Amino acid sequence: MAKMYIIGGTASKNVAEELSSLLKMPLAKTISKRFPDNEFYFRIIDNIKGKDVIIVQTTYPDPNLVELFIIQNAVEEAKAKKITVVIPYYGYARQDKKFQEGEPISAKAIAGLISLNADRVITVDPHKEHILDFFSTSAYSCTAVPEIAKYLKKKKIDLVLAPDKGALDRAKQVSDMINCDYDYMEKTRIDGNTVEMKPKKLQVKNKNVAIVDDIISTGGTMALAIKELKKQGAGKIYVACTHGLFASDSIKRLKQAGCNEIISTDTIQSKYSKVKIAPCIVDLIK
Ligand code: R5P
């Protein structure tokens, strides 16, 4: 009988399977389905009483968050010994403070609820590291940077660019790993849909550039950076992110701006999930 089990929610079956094979830990037998009114049903078939259980579930979009709560409860009710919750993409992390009076701290609200049935939480490239403090249980993060760098290494990149100063550290880490230069753009966010980017002279003529960020949502940030790079005569332009939310017409926006390739990890599954995240998570679990 196994000592530990992995349970993947429907949003993160891919990551759960990868972790199971890398860690040589079995996936618990479960049933998940939707009732006719779309409410979520879950059942654990294996006996997990007294076992360590790892639940893997991205919390975006919102129905996946509810799924996570239901799975956590099932694991708790089945009397697991220790519950680790792996959240490949932790949503709501961008509302990590009150930007205006009357707003919630959504990252804190969600963390509080997840902590109710978790002994340990692990997430990947949270938008801001301090959101880990919002969990009342021990919380850790790992980064997709080494795996993204490994992918970009095959592309003959001359410059890694951060679309804003906040992403500079990530760009530097990637550039160190693939041995090229790095720089950043100056971005100001106007609202959830609009960003402004100040033109900045970059040494990009005929150079292949990879723009690296934690999230692509509307694609607005990346599209502006691509346009500026195009104006300055860049060669091939790659955009890479950990979390590809790809909201509304973001893909069209990126392609129209002149992007040569869109790269994301599988924290959120899409056809752009070219980088597997599980290898970044295994060490933290061990
Ligand atoms: C913001 O600080 C983040 O790091 C990303 O730059 C942002 O979430 C991307 O959003 P969008 O694709 O909507 O511009």
Side-chain angles (χ1 to χ4, degrees):
M1 278 256 273
K3 279 198 189 135
M4 293 181 89
Y5 280 104
I6 298 181
I7 295 179
T10 60
S12 300
K13 286 247 177 278
N14 55 322
V15 184
E17 280 163 18
E18 288 282 327
L19 287 175
S20 157
S21 114
L22 291 171
L23 292 163
K24 303 201 174 2
M25 262 178 220
L27 289 165
K29 284 191 198 67
T30 60
I31 297 172
S32 44
K33 61 182 183 190
R34 294 266 161 194
F35 287 108
D37 59 2
N38 219 28
E39 285 186 350
F40 182 64
Y41 170 88
F42 191 73
R43 185 177 163 217
I44 304 161
I45 306 294
D46 282 317
N47 180 5
I48 60 164
K49 189 171 175 186
K51 312 282 182 198
D52 284 359
V53 175
I54 297 165
I55 305 170
V56 191
Q57 174 77 332
T58 269
T59 58
Y60 170 89
D62 289 357
N64 292 326
L65 183 59
V66 176
E67 238 191 61
L68 174 60
F69 295 147
I70 303 282
I71 297 172
Q72 282 182 278
N73 182 264
V75 172
E76 174 75 19
E77 288 290 331
K79 300 199 167 31
K81 186 169 99 197
K82 184 177 171 196
I83 306 176
T84 297
V85 178
V86 173
I87 309 170
Y89 172 62
Y90 179 64
Y92 287 102
R94 285 170 292 176
Q95 185 74 25
D96 64 327
K97 62 178 182 187
K98 290 184 208 173
F99 295 89
Q100 295 185 73
E101 213 33 62
E103 289 180 349
I105 305 172
S106 308
K108 190 176 177 184
I110 306 293
L113 294 172
I114 292 172
S115 301
L116 294 175
N117 273 330
D119 298 293
R120 180 171 64 149
V121 172
I122 293 172
T123 190
V124 184
D125 284 338
H127 183 60
K128 296 263 170 63
E129 279 297 313
H130 78 92
I131 63 111
L132 297 177
D133 299 334
F134 293 152
F135 292 90
S136 55
T137 190
S138 43
Y140 308 88
S141 74
C142 58
T143 178
V145 162
E147 293 299 310
I148 290 176
K150 232 188 253 174
Y151 184 90
L152 289 173
K153 213 167 185 169
K154 297 176 257 170
K155 303 283 175 181
K156 298 203 173 65
I157 304 293
D158 301 299
L159 177 83
V160 179
L161 190 70
D164 57 32
K165 225 171 174 180
L168 187 58
D169 237 25
R170 178 176 292 106
K172 182 180 178 325
Q173 285 172 37
V174 174
S175 75
D176 282 348
M177 286 175 201
I178 62 179
N179 215 0
C180 70
D181 292 333
Y182 69 96
D183 209 330
Y184 69 96
M185 310 273 286
E186 306 226 12
K187 171 181 115 175
T188 316
R189 178 161 291 284
I190 310 298
D191 58 38
N193 279 303
T194 330
V195 285
E196 272 178 11
M197 214 161 263
K198 272 203 210 135
K200 177 178 171 188
K201 193 81 198 108
L202 299 156
Q203 306 301 316
V204 290
K205 189 121 191 89
N206 296 324
K207 292 200 172 149
N208 295 339
V209 183
I211 319 170
V212 183
D213 207 351
D214 59 339
I215 296 172
I216 297 179
S217 176
T218 65
T221 301
M222 288 293 197
L224 278 184
I226 297 165
K227 283 182 194 156
E228 190 53 38
L229 287 170
K230 281 274 165 203
K231 264 194 229 157
Q232 299 192 27
K236 287 194 171 157
I237 301 174
Y238 299 85
V239 299
C241 66
T242 305
H243 310 297
L245 271 65
F246 302 128
S248 54
D249 60 353
S250 55
I251 298 294
K252 196 167 142 203
R253 220 168 171 181
L254 295 173
K255 287 185 179 163
Q256 279 176 350
C259 171
N260 291 85
E261 188 177 338
I262 301 165
I263 301 141
S264 155
T265 76
D266 56 358
T267 59
I268 301 163
Q269 268 288 11
S270 75
K271 70 176 197 188
Y272 304 99
S273 300
K274 299 170 186 176
V275 175
K276 288 190 193 305
I277 204 63
C280 307
I281 302 172
V282 278
D283 284 345
L284 268 183
I285 292 182
K286 282 180 195 158

